Amino acid sequence: MKKLQEIPIWLWMILAAVLLLQGTWLFRDARDRGQGMKAWFWGIWGLTGAPSPAVCYLLFVVLPDKRKRKAGRSR
């Protein structure tokens, strides 16, 4: 437990800010993309760790959405 006490408070604050920003961004973007209740999943998962939720969101939501929109424009 001593190791956690050696971490400076400013580093904890930066980590908290990063997680809060990531969770907020994932929630708002998912809501804007019409994900419905999944937006809550992405937002809460974004609060738990970084950067895994953001990478998964980009791979499973953003890229397929871009491909779908691009295919719709070319028709």
Side-chain angles (χ1 to χ4, degrees):
M1 275 300 190
K2 279 216 173 233
K3 295 283 184 190
L4 289 177
Q5 293 173 349
E6 294 173 6
I7 298 174
I9 189 74
W10 60 268
L11 192 57
W12 286 111
M13 307 237 337
I14 290 174
L15 178 63
V18 166
L19 292 175
L20 187 60
L21 286 172
Q22 177 181 260
T24 303
W25 171 70
L26 289 174
F27 173 76
R28 293 184 74 187
D29 193 68
R31 187 186 58 192
D32 291 345
R33 290 180 188 273
Q35 292 288 310
M37 290 300 291
K38 292 179 188 175
W40 284 102
F41 165 76
W42 288 112
I44 292 170
W45 191 28
L47 294 172
T48 63
S52 299
V55 171
C56 290
Y57 181 76
L58 290 172
L59 290 174
F60 297 118
V61 176
V62 175
L63 290 178
D65 189 46
K66 280 188 177 186
R67 287 186 190 132
K68 188 168 77 173
R69 289 181 188 201
K70 188 176 181 182
R73 268 191 300 171
S74 64
R75 290 184 185 179

